[in-house]
Amino acid sequence: MTDNNPSCPDLWELDNGDIAAIGRDLTAEYAHRLPPDVSIGQDEALVVLPRKMLIAAKEDIPNA
């Protein structure tokens, strides 16, 4: 899901089936806008992925 640009967001499947994402860390910018029942743990970050990237990846994401 990348165009070989080193700053490009990316998604890939890990050996254990989990999905890893590289995106812009916007935790500080968005944390105050989260719904009241959502929190970000100390070992987590809010990562923003471009909509067009997820749409392009849709056909490669299994339903189950």
Side-chain angles (χ1 to χ4, degrees):
M1 301 277 58
T2 182
D3 64 4
N4 293 323
N5 177 340
S7 65
C8 184
D10 202 357
L11 291 174
W12 71 98
E13 185 171 354
L14 302 174
D15 291 341
N16 67 359
D18 287 348
I19 303 300
I22 297 173
R24 293 179 294 144
D25 180 356
L26 295 177
T27 305
E29 289 85 349
Y30 284 91
H32 69 282
R33 297 193 221 172
L34 295 175
D37 59 337
V38 175
S39 62
I40 301 172
Q42 287 187 319
D43 63 340
E44 299 175 328
L46 188 151
V47 177
V48 175
L49 304 171
R51 183 177 192 276
K52 66 182 181 178
M53 183 180 122
L54 291 178
I55 290 171
K58 186 176 180 179
E59 68 182 47
D60 296 322
I61 300 172
N63 291 327

CSV table of all heavy atoms in Angstrom, one decimal:
chain,number,residue,atom,x,y,z
A,1,MET,N,0.8,-1.2,0.0
A,1,MET,CA,0.0,0.0,0.0
A,1,MET,C,0.9,1.3,0.0
A,1,MET,O,0.5,2.3,0.5
A,1,MET,CB,-0.9,0.0,1.2
A,1,MET,CG,-1.8,-1.1,1.4
A,1,MET,SD,-3.4,-1.1,0.5
A,1,MET,CE,-3.0,-0.9,-1.2
A,2,THR,N,2.0,1.2,-0.6
A,2,THR,CA,2.9,2.3,-0.5
A,2,THR,C,3.4,2.7,-2.0
A,2,THR,O,3.3,1.8,-2.9
A,2,THR,CB,4.1,2.0,0.4
A,2,THR,OG1,5.0,3.2,0.4
A,2,THR,CG2,4.9,0.9,-0.1
A,3,ASP,N,3.8,3.9,-2.2
A,3,ASP,CA,4.4,4.3,-3.5
A,3,ASP,C,5.9,4.4,-3.4
A,3,ASP,O,6.5,5.1,-4.2
A,3,ASP,CB,3.7,5.5,-4.0
A,3,ASP,CG,4.0,6.7,-3.1
A,3,ASP,OD1,4.8,6.6,-2.1
A,3,ASP,OD2,3.4,7.8,-3.4
A,4,ASN,N,6.5,3.7,-2.5
A,4,ASN,CA,8.0,3.7,-2.3
A,4,ASN,C,8.5,5.1,-1.8
A,4,ASN,O,9.7,5.3,-1.8
A,4,ASN,CB,8.7,3.3,-3.5
A,4,ASN,CG,8.5,1.8,-3.9
A,4,ASN,OD1,8.4,1.0,-3.0
A,4,ASN,ND2,8.4,1.5,-5.1
A,5,ASN,N,7.6,5.9,-1.3
A,5,ASN,CA,8.0,7.2,-0.7
A,5,ASN,C,8.3,6.9,0.8
A,5,ASN,O,7.4,6.3,1.4
A,5,ASN,CB,6.9,8.2,-0.9
A,5,ASN,CG,7.1,9.5,-0.2
A,5,ASN,OD1,8.0,9.6,0.7
A,5,ASN,ND2,6.4,10.5,-0.6
A,6,PRO,N,9.5,7.2,1.3
A,6,PRO,CA,9.8,6.8,2.7
A,6,PRO,C,8.9,7.5,3.7
A,6,PRO,O,8.8,7.0,4.8
A,6,PRO,CB,11.2,7.3,2.8
A,6,PRO,CG,11.5,8.2,1.7
A,6,PRO,CD,10.6,7.9,0.6
A,7,SER,N,8.1,8.5,3.4
A,7,SER,CA,7.2,9.1,4.3
A,7,SER,C,5.8,8.7,4.1
A,7,SER,O,4.9,9.3,4.7
A,7,SER,CB,7.4,10.6,4.3
A,7,SER,OG,6.9,11.1,3.1
A,8,CYS,N,5.6,7.7,3.2
A,8,CYS,CA,4.2,7.3,2.8
A,8,CYS,C,3.6,6.4,3.9
A,8,CYS,O,4.3,5.5,4.4
A,8,CYS,CB,4.3,6.6,1.5
A,8,CYS,SG,2.7,6.1,0.8
A,9,PRO,N,2.3,6.5,4.3
A,9,PRO,CA,1.7,5.6,5.2
A,9,PRO,C,1.7,4.2,4.6
A,9,PRO,O,1.8,4.1,3.3
A,9,PRO,CB,0.3,6.1,5.3
A,9,PRO,CG,0.2,7.4,4.6
A,9,PRO,CD,1.4,7.5,3.8
A,10,ASP,N,1.6,3.2,5.4
A,10,ASP,CA,1.6,1.8,4.9
A,10,ASP,C,0.8,0.9,5.8
A,10,ASP,O,0.7,1.2,7.0
A,10,ASP,CB,3.0,1.3,4.8
A,10,ASP,CG,3.2,0.2,3.8
A,10,ASP,OD1,2.2,-0.3,3.2
A,10,ASP,OD2,4.3,-0.3,3.6
A,11,LEU,N,0.2,-0.2,5.3
A,11,LEU,CA,-0.4,-1.2,6.0
A,11,LEU,C,0.2,-2.5,5.6
A,11,LEU,O,0.5,-2.7,4.4
A,11,LEU,CB,-1.9,-1.3,5.7
A,11,LEU,CG,-2.8,-0.2,6.2
A,11,LEU,CD1,-4.2,-0.4,5.6
A,11,LEU,CD2,-2.9,-0.1,7.7
A,12,TRP,N,0.4,-3.5,6.5
A,12,TRP,CA,0.8,-4.8,6.1
A,12,TRP,C,0.4,-5.8,7.2
A,12,TRP,O,0.2,-5.5,8.3
A,12,TRP,CB,2.3,-4.9,5.8
A,12,TRP,CG,3.2,-4.8,7.0
A,12,TRP,CD1,3.8,-5.8,7.6
A,12,TRP,CD2,3.6,-3.6,7.6
A,12,TRP,NE1,4.6,-5.3,8.7
A,12,TRP,CE2,4.5,-4.0,8.7
A,12,TRP,CE3,3.4,-2.2,7.5
A,12,TRP,CZ2,5.1,-3.1,9.6
A,12,TRP,CZ3,4.0,-1.3,8.3
A,12,TRP,CH2,4.8,-1.7,9.3
A,13,GLU,N,0.3,-7.1,6.7
A,13,GLU,CA,-0.1,-8.1,7.6
A,13,GLU,C,1.2,-8.8,8.2
A,13,GLU,O,2.1,-9.1,7.5
A,13,GLU,CB,-0.9,-9.2,6.9
A,13,GLU,CG,-1.5,-10.3,7.8
A,13,GLU,CD,-2.4,-11.2,7.1
A,13,GLU,OE1,-2.8,-11.0,6.0
A,13,GLU,OE2,-2.8,-12.2,7.8
A,14,LEU,N,1.1,-8.9,9.6
A,14,LEU,CA,2.3,-9.6,10.3
A,14,LEU,C,2.1,-11.1,10.2
A,14,LEU,O,1.1,-11.6,9.8
A,14,LEU,CB,2.3,-9.1,11.7
A,14,LEU,CG,2.4,-7.6,11.9
A,14,LEU,CD1,2.2,-7.3,13.4
A,14,LEU,CD2,3.7,-7.1,11.4
A,15,ASP,N,3.2,-11.8,10.5
A,15,ASP,CA,3.2,-13.3,10.5
A,15,ASP,C,2.0,-13.9,11.3
A,15,ASP,O,1.5,-14.9,11.0
A,15,ASP,CB,4.5,-13.8,10.9
A,15,ASP,CG,5.6,-13.6,10.0
A,15,ASP,OD1,5.3,-13.3,8.8
A,15,ASP,OD2,6.8,-13.6,10.4
A,16,ASN,N,1.6,-13.2,12.4
A,16,ASN,CA,0.6,-13.7,13.3
A,16,ASN,C,-0.8,-13.3,12.8
A,16,ASN,O,-1.8,-13.6,13.5
A,16,ASN,CB,0.8,-13.3,14.7
A,16,ASN,CG,0.7,-11.8,14.9
A,16,ASN,OD1,0.4,-11.1,14.0
A,16,ASN,ND2,0.9,-11.4,16.2
A,17,GLY,N,-0.9,-12.6,11.7
A,17,GLY,CA,-2.2,-12.2,11.2
A,17,GLY,C,-2.7,-10.8,11.6
A,17,GLY,O,-3.6,-10.3,11.1
A,18,ASP,N,-2.0,-10.2,12.6
A,18,ASP,CA,-2.3,-8.8,13.0
A,18,ASP,C,-1.9,-7.9,11.8
A,18,ASP,O,-1.1,-8.2,11.0
A,18,ASP,CB,-1.5,-8.4,14.2
A,18,ASP,CG,-2.0,-9.1,15.5
A,18,ASP,OD1,-3.1,-9.7,15.5
A,18,ASP,OD2,-1.3,-9.0,16.5
A,19,ILE,N,-2.5,-6.7,11.8
A,19,ILE,CA,-2.2,-5.7,10.8
A,19,ILE,C,-1.4,-4.6,11.5
A,19,ILE,O,-1.8,-4.1,12.5
A,19,ILE,CB,-3.5,-5.1,10.2
A,19,ILE,CG1,-4.4,-6.2,9.7
A,19,ILE,CG2,-3.2,-4.1,9.2
A,19,ILE,CD1,-3.8,-7.0,8.5
A,20,ALA,N,-0.3,-4.2,10.9
A,20,ALA,CA,0.5,-3.1,11.3
A,20,ALA,C,0.3,-1.9,10.4
A,20,ALA,O,0.0,-2.1,9.2
A,20,ALA,CB,2.0,-3.5,11.3
A,21,ALA,N,0.3,-0.7,11.0
A,21,ALA,CA,0.1,0.5,10.3
A,21,ALA,C,1.2,1.5,10.5
A,21,ALA,O,1.6,1.6,11.7
A,21,ALA,CB,-1.3,1.1,10.6
A,22,ILE,N,1.6,2.2,9.5
A,22,ILE,CA,2.5,3.4,9.6
A,22,ILE,C,1.6,4.5,9.1
A,22,ILE,O,1.1,4.5,8.0
A,22,ILE,CB,3.7,3.2,8.8
A,22,ILE,CG1,4.6,2.0,9.3
A,22,ILE,CG2,4.6,4.5,8.8
A,22,ILE,CD1,5.8,1.7,8.4
A,23,GLY,N,1.5,5.5,10.0
A,23,GLY,CA,0.8,6.7,9.6
A,23,GLY,C,1.3,7.9,10.4
A,23,GLY,O,2.3,7.8,11.2
A,24,ARG,N,0.7,9.0,10.3
A,24,ARG,CA,1.1,10.2,11.0
A,24,ARG,C,0.6,10.1,12.5
A,24,ARG,O,-0.6,9.8,12.7
A,24,ARG,CB,0.5,11.5,10.4
A,24,ARG,CG,1.1,11.7,9.0
A,24,ARG,CD,0.5,12.9,8.3
A,24,ARG,NE,-0.9,12.7,8.1
A,24,ARG,CZ,-1.8,13.6,8.2
A,24,ARG,NH1,-1.6,14.9,8.5
A,24,ARG,NH2,-3.1,13.3,7.9
A,25,ASP,N,1.5,10.3,13.4
A,25,ASP,CA,1.1,10.2,14.8
A,25,ASP,C,0.5,11.6,15.2
A,25,ASP,O,1.2,12.6,15.3
A,25,ASP,CB,2.3,10.0,15.7
A,25,ASP,CG,2.0,9.9,17.2
A,25,ASP,OD1,0.9,10.2,17.6
A,25,ASP,OD2,2.9,9.6,17.9
A,26,LEU,N,-0.8,11.6,15.3
A,26,LEU,CA,-1.5,12.8,15.6
A,26,LEU,C,-2.2,12.8,17.0
A,26,LEU,O,-3.2,13.4,17.2
A,26,LEU,CB,-2.6,13.1,14.5
A,26,LEU,CG,-1.9,13.4,13.1
A,26,LEU,CD1,-3.0,13.6,12.1
A,26,LEU,CD2,-1.0,14.6,13.2
A,27,THR,N,-1.6,12.0,17.9
A,27,THR,CA,-2.1,11.9,19.2
A,27,THR,C,-2.4,13.2,19.9
A,27,THR,O,-3.5,13.5,20.4
A,27,THR,CB,-1.2,11.0,20.1
A,27,THR,OG1,-1.0,9.7,19.4
A,27,THR,CG2,-1.8,10.7,21.5
A,28,ALA,N,-1.4,14.0,19.9
A,28,ALA,CA,-1.5,15.3,20.6
A,28,ALA,C,-2.6,16.2,20.0
A,28,ALA,O,-3.3,16.9,20.7
A,28,ALA,CB,-0.2,16.1,20.6
A,29,GLU,N,-2.6,16.2,18.6
A,29,GLU,CA,-3.6,17.0,17.9
A,29,GLU,C,-5.0,16.6,18.1
A,29,GLU,O,-6.0,17.4,18.0
A,29,GLU,CB,-3.2,17.1,16.4
A,29,GLU,CG,-2.0,17.9,16.1
A,29,GLU,CD,-0.7,17.0,16.3
A,29,GLU,OE1,-0.7,15.9,16.8
A,29,GLU,OE2,0.4,17.5,15.9
A,30,TYR,N,-5.3,15.3,18.2
A,30,TYR,CA,-6.7,14.8,18.2
A,30,TYR,C,-7.1,14.3,19.6
A,30,TYR,O,-8.3,14.0,19.7
A,30,TYR,CB,-6.8,13.6,17.2
A,30,TYR,CG,-6.9,14.1,15.8
A,30,TYR,CD1,-5.8,14.3,15.0
A,30,TYR,CD2,-8.1,14.4,15.2
A,30,TYR,CE1,-5.8,14.7,13.7
A,30,TYR,CE2,-8.2,14.9,13.9
A,30,TYR,CZ,-7.1,15.0,13.2
A,30,TYR,OH,-7.1,15.4,11.9
A,31,ALA,N,-6.3,14.1,20.5
A,31,ALA,CA,-6.6,13.5,21.8
A,31,ALA,C,-7.8,14.2,22.5
A,31,ALA,O,-8.7,13.6,23.0
A,31,ALA,CB,-5.5,13.4,22.8
A,32,HIS,N,-7.8,15.5,22.4
A,32,HIS,CA,-8.9,16.3,23.1
A,32,HIS,C,-10.2,16.2,22.3
A,32,HIS,O,-11.2,16.6,22.8
A,32,HIS,CB,-8.5,17.8,23.2
A,32,HIS,CG,-8.4,18.5,21.9
A,32,HIS,ND1,-7.3,18.3,21.1
A,32,HIS,CD2,-9.2,19.4,21.3
A,32,HIS,CE1,-7.5,19.1,20.0
A,32,HIS,NE2,-8.6,19.7,20.1
A,33,ARG,N,-10.2,15.7,21.1
A,33,ARG,CA,-11.4,15.6,20.3
A,33,ARG,C,-12.1,14.2,20.3
A,33,ARG,O,-13.1,14.0,19.7
A,33,ARG,CB,-11.1,15.8,18.8
A,33,ARG,CG,-10.6,17.2,18.5
A,33,ARG,CD,-10.6,17.5,17.0
A,33,ARG,NE,-9.5,18.2,16.6
A,33,ARG,CZ,-9.2,18.4,15.3
A,33,ARG,NH1,-9.9,17.9,14.4
A,33,ARG,NH2,-8.1,19.0,15.0
A,34,LEU,N,-11.5,13.3,21.0
A,34,LEU,CA,-12.0,11.9,21.1
A,34,LEU,C,-13.3,11.9,21.8
A,34,LEU,O,-13.6,12.7,22.8
A,34,LEU,CB,-11.0,11.0,21.8
A,34,LEU,CG,-9.7,10.8,21.1
A,34,LEU,CD1,-8.7,9.9,22.0
A,34,LEU,CD2,-9.9,10.1,19.7
A,35,PRO,N,-14.2,10.9,21.5
A,35,PRO,CA,-15.4,10.7,22.2
A,35,PRO,C,-15.1,10.4,23.7
A,35,PRO,O,-14.0,9.9,24.0
A,35,PRO,CB,-16.1,9.5,21.6
A,35,PRO,CG,-15.5,9.5,20.2
A,35,PRO,CD,-14.1,10.0,20.4
A,36,PRO,N,-16.0,10.7,24.6
A,36,PRO,CA,-15.8,10.6,26.0
A,36,PRO,C,-15.4,9.1,26.4
A,36,PRO,O,-14.7,8.9,27.4
A,36,PRO,CB,-17.0,11.0,26.7
A,36,PRO,CG,-17.8,11.7,25.7
A,36,PRO,CD,-17.3,11.3,24.4
A,37,ASP,N,-15.9,8.1,25.7
A,37,ASP,CA,-15.6,6.7,26.1
A,37,ASP,C,-14.4,6.2,25.4
A,37,ASP,O,-14.2,5.0,25.5
A,37,ASP,CB,-16.9,5.9,25.8
A,37,ASP,CG,-17.3,5.9,24.3
A,37,ASP,OD1,-16.9,6.9,23.6
A,37,ASP,OD2,-18.0,5.0,23.9
A,38,VAL,N,-13.6,7.0,24.7
A,38,VAL,CA,-12.4,6.5,24.1
A,38,VAL,C,-11.2,7.1,24.8
A,38,VAL,O,-11.2,8.2,25.1
A,38,VAL,CB,-12.4,7.0,22.6
A,38,VAL,CG1,-11.1,6.6,21.9
A,38,VAL,CG2,-13.6,6.4,21.8
A,39,SER,N,-10.2,6.2,25.0
A,39,SER,CA,-8.9,6.7,25.6
A,39,SER,C,-7.8,6.1,24.8
A,39,SER,O,-7.9,5.1,24.1
A,39,SER,CB,-8.9,6.3,27.1
A,39,SER,OG,-8.9,4.9,27.2
A,40,ILE,N,-6.6,6.8,25.0
A,40,ILE,CA,-5.4,6.3,24.4
A,40,ILE,C,-4.4,5.9,25.5
A,40,ILE,O,-4.1,6.7,26.3
A,40,ILE,CB,-4.7,7.4,23.5
A,40,ILE,CG1,-5.7,7.9,22.4
A,40,ILE,CG2,-3.4,7.0,22.9
A,40,ILE,CD1,-5.3,9.1,21.7
A,41,GLY,N,-4.0,4.6,25.5
A,41,GLY,CA,-3.2,4.2,26.6
A,41,GLY,C,-1.8,4.7,26.4
A,41,GLY,O,-1.4,5.3,25.4
A,42,GLN,N,-1.0,4.6,27.5
A,42,GLN,CA,0.4,5.2,27.5
A,42,GLN,C,1.3,4.5,26.5
A,42,GLN,O,2.2,5.1,26.0
A,42,GLN,CB,1.0,5.0,28.9
A,42,GLN,CG,0.4,6.0,29.9
A,42,GLN,CD,1.2,5.9,31.2
A,42,GLN,OE1,1.5,4.9,31.7
A,42,GLN,NE2,1.4,7.1,31.8
A,43,ASP,N,1.0,3.3,26.1
A,43,ASP,CA,1.8,2.6,25.1
A,43,ASP,C,1.1,2.6,23.7
A,43,ASP,O,1.4,1.9,22.8
A,43,ASP,CB,2.0,1.2,25.5
A,43,ASP,CG,0.7,0.3,25.6
A,43,ASP,OD1,-0.4,0.9,25.8
A,43,ASP,OD2,0.8,-0.9,25.6
A,44,GLU,N,0.1,3.5,23.5
A,44,GLU,CA,-0.6,3.7,22.3
A,44,GLU,C,-0.4,5.1,21.7
A,44,GLU,O,-0.1,6.0,22.3
A,44,GLU,CB,-2.1,3.4,22.5
A,44,GLU,CG,-2.4,2.0,23.0
A,44,GLU,CD,-3.8,1.8,23.3
A,44,GLU,OE1,-4.5,2.8,23.7
A,44,GLU,OE2,-4.3,0.7,23.1
A,45,ALA,N,-0.8,5.2,20.4
A,45,ALA,CA,-0.8,6.4,19.7
A,45,ALA,C,-2.0,6.5,18.8
A,45,ALA,O,-2.4,5.4,18.3
A,45,ALA,CB,0.5,6.6,18.9
A,46,LEU,N,-2.5,7.6,18.5
A,46,LEU,CA,-3.6,7.8,17.6
A,46,LEU,C,-2.9,8.1,16.2
A,46,LEU,O,-2.2,9.1,16.0
A,46,LEU,CB,-4.4,9.0,17.9
A,46,LEU,CG,-5.7,9.2,17.1
A,46,LEU,CD1,-6.8,9.9,18.0
A,46,LEU,CD2,-5.5,9.9,15.8
A,47,VAL,N,-3.1,7.1,15.3
A,47,VAL,CA,-2.4,7.2,14.0
A,47,VAL,C,-3.5,7.4,12.9
A,47,VAL,O,-4.5,6.7,12.9
A,47,VAL,CB,-1.7,5.9,13.7
A,47,VAL,CG1,-1.0,5.9,12.3
A,47,VAL,CG2,-0.6,5.6,14.8
A,48,VAL,N,-3.2,8.4,12.1
A,48,VAL,CA,-4.2,8.8,11.1
A,48,VAL,C,-3.7,8.2,9.7
A,48,VAL,O,-2.5,8.4,9.4
A,48,VAL,CB,-4.3,10.3,11.0
A,48,VAL,CG1,-5.2,10.7,9.8
A,48,VAL,CG2,-4.9,10.9,12.3
A,49,LEU,N,-4.6,7.5,9.1
A,49,LEU,CA,-4.3,6.9,7.8
A,49,LEU,C,-5.2,7.6,6.7
A,49,LEU,O,-6.4,7.8,7.0
A,49,LEU,CB,-4.6,5.4,7.8
A,49,LEU,CG,-3.8,4.6,8.8
A,49,LEU,CD1,-4.4,3.2,8.9
A,49,LEU,CD2,-2.4,4.6,8.6
A,50,PRO,N,-4.7,7.9,5.6
A,50,PRO,CA,-5.5,8.5,4.6
A,50,PRO,C,-6.6,7.6,4.1
A,50,PRO,O,-6.5,6.4,3.9
A,50,PRO,CB,-4.5,8.8,3.4
A,50,PRO,CG,-3.2,8.7,4.0
A,50,PRO,CD,-3.3,7.8,5.2
A,51,ARG,N,-7.8,8.2,3.9
A,51,ARG,CA,-9.0,7.5,3.5
A,51,ARG,C,-8.7,6.7,2.2
A,51,ARG,O,-9.1,5.6,2.1
A,51,ARG,CB,-10.2,8.5,3.4
A,51,ARG,CG,-11.5,7.8,3.0
A,51,ARG,CD,-12.6,8.8,2.9
A,51,ARG,NE,-13.9,8.2,2.8
A,51,ARG,CZ,-14.4,7.8,1.7
A,51,ARG,NH1,-13.8,7.9,0.5
A,51,ARG,NH2,-15.6,7.2,1.7
A,52,LYS,N,-8.1,7.4,1.3
A,52,LYS,CA,-7.9,6.8,0.0
A,52,LYS,C,-7.0,5.5,0.1
A,52,LYS,O,-7.1,4.6,-0.7
A,52,LYS,CB,-7.3,7.7,-1.0
A,52,LYS,CG,-5.9,8.2,-0.7
A,52,LYS,CD,-5.4,9.2,-1.8
A,52,LYS,CE,-4.0,9.7,-1.5
A,52,LYS,NZ,-3.6,10.6,-2.5
A,53,MET,N,-6.1,5.5,1.1
A,53,MET,CA,-5.3,4.3,1.3
A,53,MET,C,-6.1,3.1,1.8
A,53,MET,O,-6.0,2.0,1.3
A,53,MET,CB,-4.2,4.6,2.4
A,53,MET,CG,-3.2,3.5,2.6
A,53,MET,SD,-2.1,4.0,3.9
A,53,MET,CE,-2.3,2.8,5.1
A,54,LEU,N,-7.0,3.4,2.7
A,54,LEU,CA,-7.9,2.3,3.2
A,54,LEU,C,-8.9,1.8,2.1
A,54,LEU,O,-9.1,0.6,2.0
A,54,LEU,CB,-8.7,2.7,4.4
A,54,LEU,CG,-7.8,2.9,5.7
A,54,LEU,CD1,-8.7,3.4,6.8
A,54,LEU,CD2,-7.1,1.7,6.1
A,55,ILE,N,-9.4,2.7,1.3
A,55,ILE,CA,-10.2,2.3,0.2
A,55,ILE,C,-9.5,1.4,-0.8
A,55,ILE,O,-9.9,0.4,-1.2
A,55,ILE,CB,-10.8,3.5,-0.5
A,55,ILE,CG1,-11.9,4.2,0.5
A,55,ILE,CG2,-11.5,3.1,-1.8
A,55,ILE,CD1,-12.4,5.5,0.0
A,56,ALA,N,-8.2,1.8,-1.1
A,56,ALA,CA,-7.4,1.0,-2.0
A,56,ALA,C,-7.1,-0.4,-1.4
A,56,ALA,O,-7.0,-1.4,-2.1
A,56,ALA,CB,-6.1,1.8,-2.3
A,57,ALA,N,-6.9,-0.5,-0.1
A,57,ALA,CA,-6.6,-1.7,0.6
A,57,ALA,C,-7.8,-2.6,0.8
A,57,ALA,O,-7.6,-3.8,1.0
A,57,ALA,CB,-5.9,-1.5,1.9
A,58,LYS,N,-9.0,-2.1,0.6
A,58,LYS,CA,-10.2,-2.8,0.9
A,58,LYS,C,-10.3,-4.2,0.3
A,58,LYS,O,-10.7,-5.2,0.9
A,58,LYS,CB,-11.4,-2.0,0.6
A,58,LYS,CG,-12.7,-2.6,1.0
A,58,LYS,CD,-13.9,-1.6,0.7
A,58,LYS,CE,-15.2,-2.2,1.1
A,58,LYS,NZ,-16.3,-1.3,0.8
A,59,GLU,N,-10.0,-4.3,-1.0
A,59,GLU,CA,-10.1,-5.6,-1.7
A,59,GLU,C,-9.1,-6.6,-1.2
A,59,GLU,O,-9.3,-7.8,-1.3
A,59,GLU,CB,-9.9,-5.4,-3.2
A,59,GLU,CG,-8.5,-5.0,-3.6
A,59,GLU,CD,-8.5,-4.8,-5.1
A,59,GLU,OE1,-9.3,-4.1,-5.7
A,59,GLU,OE2,-7.5,-5.3,-5.7
A,60,ASP,N,-8.0,-6.2,-0.5
A,60,ASP,CA,-7.0,-7.1,0.1
A,60,ASP,C,-7.3,-7.5,1.5
A,60,ASP,O,-6.6,-8.3,2.1
A,60,ASP,CB,-5.6,-6.5,0.0
A,60,ASP,CG,-5.2,-6.2,-1.4
A,60,ASP,OD1,-5.5,-7.1,-2.3
A,60,ASP,OD2,-4.6,-5.2,-1.7
A,61,ILE,N,-8.3,-6.9,2.1
A,61,ILE,CA,-8.7,-7.2,3.5
A,61,ILE,C,-9.7,-8.3,3.6
A,61,ILE,O,-10.8,-8.1,3.0
A,61,ILE,CB,-9.1,-5.9,4.3
A,61,ILE,CG1,-8.1,-4.9,4.2
A,61,ILE,CG2,-9.6,-6.3,5.7
A,61,ILE,CD1,-8.5,-3.5,4.7
A,62,PRO,N,-9.4,-9.4,4.2
A,62,PRO,CA,-10.4,-10.5,4.3
A,62,PRO,C,-11.6,-10.2,5.1
A,62,PRO,O,-11.5,-9.3,6.0
A,62,PRO,CB,-9.6,-11.7,4.9
A,62,PRO,CG,-8.4,-11.1,5.5
A,62,PRO,CD,-8.2,-9.8,4.9
A,63,ASN,N,-12.7,-10.7,4.9
A,63,ASN,CA,-13.9,-10.5,5.6
A,63,ASN,C,-13.9,-11.2,7.0
A,63,ASN,O,-14.7,-10.9,7.9
A,63,ASN,CB,-15.2,-10.9,4.8
A,63,ASN,CG,-15.4,-10.0,3.7
A,63,ASN,OD1,-15.1,-8.8,3.8
A,63,ASN,ND2,-15.9,-10.5,2.6
A,64,ALA,N,-13.1,-12.2,7.1
A,64,ALA,CA,-13.1,-13.0,8.4
A,64,ALA,C,-11.7,-13.3,8.8
A,64,ALA,O,-10.8,-13.2,8.1
A,64,ALA,CB,-13.9,-14.3,8.2
